[in-house]
Amino acid sequence: MGLIILPLLAAWLACAGYAVFLGYSLWADGKPLLYVVTLLIVGVLLALVYACVGLSGFKTREEVWAFEIPMHFLVNKAAIAMFVLAVAISFLALNMADFSHTVAACFVVAFALSVGTVAASLYAETFVRHHDIRVTY
């Protein structure tokens, strides 16, 4: 199963890297550092909320399949669609001065989804142990 999870995790890490590039491009375009740091803090908070809300659905479960939680996050169609939409909009609006706040919003969405997905996937085993959930193979 690691042959499936590792490439997906690497893809989401690459997505997080692109989101960081979006944040850097905002700063390089002349936005104040405080503006970019504020967006980064909002992105981190939304990533934690996304991971916590996603994991909360598994709290009441008595048993889960071994890779159910990471797969829940790594192949979440809604998250993938939102990330692709945010990247597409930011790609179109990146060179237009009137849409700099749109790129900032796309950065926050892309960063929150990618970092939240990676964090929740890596935290899944600890979450299962902490809530005494049996793992089936």
Side-chain angles (χ1 to χ4, degrees):
M1 196 64 189
L3 292 174
I4 295 172
I5 289 181
L6 190 60
L8 290 172
L9 194 59
W12 277 107
L13 282 171
C15 291
Y18 183 75
V20 169
F21 168 74
L22 274 178
Y24 174 75
S25 70
L26 286 170
W27 184 57
D29 283 345
K31 293 290 183 194
L33 184 61
L34 183 61
Y35 181 78
V36 176
V37 170
T38 303
L39 291 174
L40 187 64
I41 290 170
V42 169
V44 168
L45 290 175
L46 285 176
L48 290 173
V49 167
Y50 173 65
C52 289
V53 168
L55 288 171
S56 70
F58 293 98
K59 280 184 181 179
T60 59
R61 304 269 302 268
E62 292 181 14
E63 69 178 27
V64 294
W65 174 58
F67 301 106
E68 184 175 355
I69 296 174
M71 291 298 282
H72 170 75
F73 285 99
L74 293 172
V75 295
N76 187 346
K77 292 177 187 173
I80 293 170
M82 290 279 296
F83 183 85
V84 168
L85 185 63
V87 168
I89 290 171
S90 69
F91 183 72
L92 294 174
L94 197 56
N95 295 323
M96 298 179 188
D98 296 340
F99 294 104
S100 64
H101 295 300
T102 305
V103 175
C106 291
F107 160 70
V108 169
V109 170
F111 185 80
L113 287 173
S114 58
V115 171
T117 297
V118 170
S121 298
L122 295 176
Y123 181 70
E125 187 176 337
T126 305
F127 176 81
V128 166
R129 272 188 270 128
H130 183 264
H131 290 283
D132 294 326
I133 300 172
R134 283 183 288 137
V135 177
T136 59
Y137 292 95

